[in-house]
Each structure stands twice: as C-alpha cells, then as structure tokens.
Amino acid sequence: MASGGEEPAGSSLDRCSPDQAKASASMLDSGEDFEVLDEEEEEDLSELPPLEDVGKGKEGVQASGPEPAGEGAGEEPPAAEEWLDVLGNGLLKKKTLVPGQGVESRPRKGQNVTVRLRMMLEDGSVVEENPGLTFTLGDCDVLQALDLCTQLLETGEMASIVSDAKYCYGPQGRSPDIPPNAALTLEVELLAVQDAPDLELLSGRAKIKLANRKRERGNFYYQQADYVLAINSYDIALRVIGSSSKVDFSPEEEAELLEVKVKCLNNLAASQLKLDHYEAALKSCNLVLEHQPENIKALFRKGKVLAQQGEYSQAIPILKAALKLEPSNKGSLPALGFVKDHPTLAVPAPAASTRSSRVQGHGRSQPWHAHIQTHTIHAELSKLVKKHADQKTVETEMYRKMLGNPSPGSTPVKCKDKSPWSIPWKWLFGATAVALGGVALSVVIAARN
C-alpha cells in the first residue's frame, strides 16, 4: 500500500514501492498534496463485468478402474487444468493446478482469506513471494487480478493466474522490479478462509490499524491515478472509523481516529475533484472543516471546488484564509494585497535552495513541502482574482448594453472626433422649427390685415 509515513503490514502487494510511497504521501498526507497528477484518464476499473460463479466443481481423473492398455496416451489434459477466461476479455485467465475441497469451500466477499503467493514476470523472474498473505476479499486490498481470481478458488486449491497489466500495476509499474505495462503470472494457493472481525468488538488500536490500512490502499490507487478505486478505499476506511463500538477507547485513541478520519476525508475530496464530482468534494471538505475549521487542505480544496463552480466571490476569501493559516507564509502576508491590486501577477515560487530545513540542517526554516503548498495557494488565488475581475467586467458590460448605455471607453473616442465648433443636431432642429414658426405667424398676421 502507499503509505502516508507509516509502515504498512503485509506483502508489497498491499503497498507500492518506496519511491511510489513517497510520491503518494507527498500528494496526500503531506503538504504537497496540492500537486496535480498527470490528467490522463485511466480506464474506469469500477465497471468491470460482474464476476460470475462458473460452477466449476472439483474435477479431475475419476477412479473408474484401470484404462485399457494403449489408451490415454496423447489425450487432452483433464478439464481442471484448462484455462478459464475469468472476465471474458482474454486479459485475466486462471488454471487449476491442484484441485481444492469443492465449490462450497470458496470464499465470499467480505471474508478474510490467507493465500500463498508467488508472482513472476513473463520471463519467469520472481518479483515477489509471500507464504501467508491475508486480505479482505472484495475490498481491493491487493491487486485486482488476485482479488478477482481468489473468489474462484476453493480452499486448498492451487492455481496459476495470468493477468494483463491492467489488473496489476498498470502503466506505472512498480519500481524497481516491475516495469510499466508488465503482464504478470501469479501462483496462488488458498490456505484459509474466515469471517472478518466484528467492527463493534475491535479495540481502538485495532480499528486505527484497519482504517489506516484501507486509507493507505486508497493512497496507492490515487498515486496510480485510479480515482474510482481510491474513493472506494477511502469510503471503506470511513465506514470502519464511523462504525459503532462496544469497546471503550482512550482519549488518545479517539484523537488518533479523528486524525485518520480527517486524512481520509481530505484525500476523498482530492479524488472527487479529479473526477469533477464537485458537490461530493464540497461535502467532504465541509465535513473536515466541521472538525478542524482551520484545516488548510480542506480550505484549499473547498476554494477550488467553488472556483470550478464559478463562485469566485466565495472562493477568494476561503483561499485567502488558507494562505493566512499557512505556517510558511508568516513573512508573506503583505502579498495578499499585492495579488488583489495586481491580479495578473502570481507570487513566484520559493527558491529551490529552501528544500528542507531537516535536509540542510538549518534548524528552524520551514520544510520544502510547506513552501510548495504556499506557492500553490498563491498561484490559485491570483488566478481566481483575475478570473473574478474578468467576470465582473463582462457582467458590467452586459448590463450597460441591456440598459442602452454606452460603455465608458467609447465616450472619449466620440468626443475626439467632434469639432470644438460643432453644434448638436438637436439644437439645429429646434432653431429651424422656431424660425419656420415665426415666418408662418408673420404670414397669418399680414393676411388678416
């Protein structure tokens, strides 16, 4: 799993590589989670065809007596050894090597399963071995290929699984041992099946560990740019945290559960933003702000949501509040007024030499990720102020046109074209009318005389 600074338990199937873990943590649980991933959209893995129960029972050579001599040679292998196209698209196949205890022994979604795993590249090189990997079936805690095919395994069955990269590590791969777009072969044996623990009976520490494990898996999917599965993992973590409990928790455990909840909600909002689910992202941000009104990440994302909805007048004060709360911005608060007065100018990024106080050993300067976060808020704020100003200009011009008033910019141009001795046409028309009236009156008077 992609970790947010904690060491997850279990196989590396449950986490990304150290490099990926750092990248995921920087985008989500650290101050750098405002950095934008590649906007290339992955295929929506949430709409895979439903996994059907193929009804394959325990098959093999039946004890039907000895075969006649000379027969059996060159025959096809038993049905149990044939390849099964799991999804019907040829990208995920399973073959039974050793039959299990029957169809009724297959695990169900939501149960905990333990498998023995051996994972290889197409050239046969082994990239992972785990004698006892335990995970919750159907929660996407492991590779999709393993999660989908384990549902078809019988207890005690050993099978070979050949999977396209789409259901493994995809175009990102797993540095350094699994290259991008690598197909994998998995040898899996289902060792044990048991019901998942009752959430109401979990201790505080066990609930925190379980919620963090689901959150870290969400971080992994976020780093893989699979935001649908990331949302799924964060939702599961939030359900674990929000479940009722018959066990008393210590104040420290309550505080830690709240911290994990806030992280999940923040990361959930980030994933929802990636999918343009603005209303859902706004709800997630508001839930964070109910617990922590000064949470910078929630304020930033709420500002971005409102900006995407065109609510610039609401988004700008929220981003300003986030900027004021940013610890690394104590000496940069005057920049707020500068941005307001000069909306086309963004605050420049901090110098690269300020990467980290801990790296350089300079003690009290702010970490590098905090400077990046400040720059990101500055840039977003200046962009919104400019958009808001442009929007107000367009609206003002539209109102002038509706009311029939010329724009202020057009009046001076017309004045420059006029001669200083020119007389308005209305005055000329009036003077002519008066003159004609006078002449007509004179004629009438003369006629009477």
Side-chain angles (χ1 to χ4, degrees):
M1 292 185 183
S3 172
E6 304 154 4
E7 181 64 26
S11 163
S12 62
L13 268 178
D14 290 308
R15 61 178 187 270
C16 52
S17 68
D19 292 339
Q20 289 175 315
K22 292 178 183 177
S24 176
S26 69
M27 286 181 291
L28 294 169
D29 293 333
S30 76
E32 287 180 26
D33 58 2
F34 305 120
E35 295 298 301
V36 180
L37 289 177
D38 187 356
E39 294 298 332
E40 254 187 308
E41 295 185 0
E42 293 288 322
E43 294 185 56
D44 188 353
L45 303 182
S46 68
E47 297 181 1
L48 292 174
L51 190 62
E52 299 179 359
D53 190 336
V54 296
K56 293 285 184 181
K58 182 177 178 181
E59 298 178 0
V61 179
Q62 302 295 325
S64 57
E67 295 183 357
E71 294 184 9
E75 291 184 356
E76 294 183 0
E81 296 183 7
E82 293 178 355
W83 286 101
L84 171 67
D85 190 349
V86 176
L87 299 174
N89 57 8
L91 301 181
L92 182 62
K93 297 180 180 180
K94 166 189 170 290
K95 181 172 73 173
T96 298
L97 302 179
V98 178
Q101 300 174 10
V103 177
E104 65 281 356
S105 67
R106 287 179 178 173
R108 301 183 305 275
K109 286 186 178 181
Q111 289 185 311
N112 286 348
V113 297
T114 301
V115 301
R116 182 186 63 79
L117 173 70
R118 190 166 181 258
M119 188 163 61
M120 298 163 287
L121 297 175
E122 289 182 294
D123 61 4
S125 57
V126 178
V127 292
E128 182 167 332
E129 287 189 276
N130 194 321
L133 173 63
T134 300
F135 59 93
T136 303
L137 197 62
D139 278 7
C140 297
D141 287 345
V142 291
L143 295 180
Q144 275 196 299
L146 181 59
D147 196 46
L148 291 170
C149 290
T150 301
Q151 299 177 45
L152 295 176
L153 293 179
E154 303 166 3
T155 302
E157 178 181 350
M158 183 183 298
S160 178
I161 299 168
V162 176
S163 174
D164 183 78
K166 177 179 180 179
Y167 306 119
C168 296
Y169 288 96
Q172 285 82 13
R174 188 185 72 180
S175 178
D177 51 356
I178 300 178
N181 297 308
L184 296 177
T185 298
L186 285 67
E187 288 184 1
V188 185
E189 180 182 2
L190 181 57
L191 302 176
V193 180
Q194 60 183 2
D195 291 334
D198 188 345
L199 294 179
E200 291 187 340
L201 301 179
L202 286 180
S203 65
R205 185 53 51 192
K207 184 171 281 193
I208 291 168
K209 182 179 179 181
L210 179 59
N212 264 325
R213 192 154 60 91
K214 304 299 183 183
R215 175 183 62 84
E216 289 165 358
R217 191 62 185 175
N219 292 359
F220 167 77
Y221 285 123
Y222 186 97
Q223 194 273 336
Q224 294 283 325
D226 194 336
Y227 307 116
V228 172
L229 289 182
I231 288 173
N232 176 70
S233 294
Y234 295 137
D235 279 337
I236 294 173
L238 289 170
R239 287 201 297 271
V240 171
I241 296 169
S243 61
S244 59
S245 179
K246 297 179 180 179
V247 180
D248 294 331
F249 299 158
S250 68
E252 292 78 12
E253 289 171 339
E254 292 281 4
E256 192 168 348
L257 275 172
L258 178 59
E259 190 64 29
V260 177
K261 179 180 180 179
V262 167
K263 287 181 179 181
C264 288
L265 286 170
N266 261 328
N267 295 350
L268 179 62
S271 302
Q272 291 163 338
L273 262 173
K274 292 291 187 181
L275 297 176
D276 296 338
H277 296 170
Y278 299 130
E279 290 299 328
L282 187 61
K283 180 180 179 181
S284 299
C285 293
N286 286 333
L287 287 173
V288 173
L289 296 173
E290 286 179 10
H291 297 292
Q292 298 179 359
E294 296 186 348
N295 188 286
I296 297 174
K297 297 176 185 177
L299 287 170
F300 175 81
R301 292 194 177 106
K302 183 175 181 178
K304 287 198 70 173
V305 170
L306 292 171
Q308 292 291 342
Q309 294 177 327
E311 302 291 345
Y312 301 127
S313 59
Q314 297 181 45
I316 291 172
I318 291 175
L319 289 178
K320 286 184 178 181
L323 194 59
K324 289 179 182 179
L325 291 169
E326 172 52 46
S328 67
N329 194 49
K330 297 301 183 182
S332 305
L333 290 179
L336 283 172
F338 180 79
V339 171
K340 183 177 180 180
D341 296 335
H342 303 80
T344 59
L345 300 179
V347 178
S353 60
T354 61
R355 180 173 179 85
S356 174
S357 59
R358 282 179 281 276
V359 172
Q360 296 177 346
H362 291 311
R364 306 183 68 175
S365 61
Q366 291 295 325
W368 176 68
H369 66 74
H371 292 296
I372 293 296
Q373 182 167 297
T374 302
H375 166 63
T376 307
I377 300 175
H378 272 168
E380 187 71 21
L381 180 57
S382 61
K383 181 173 64 176
L384 291 189
V385 171
K386 183 181 184 302
K387 285 184 177 180
H388 190 215
D390 293 343
Q391 184 186 58
K392 290 177 67 176
T393 301
V394 171
E395 290 177 354
T396 303
E397 190 66 26
M398 181 180 66
Y399 292 146
R400 285 200 180 99
K401 289 180 179 179
M402 290 173 62
L403 297 174
N405 297 329
S407 62
S410 62
T411 302
V413 176
K414 292 182 179 179
C415 291
K416 289 180 180 179
D417 293 338
K418 290 182 179 179
S419 169
W421 300 100
S422 63
I423 301 175
W425 64 271
K426 291 181 180 180
W427 290 9
L428 289 173
F429 179 78
T432 303
V434 170
L436 291 175
V439 171
L441 182 61
S442 300
V443 171
V444 171
I445 293 173
R448 285 182 181 181
N449 293 333

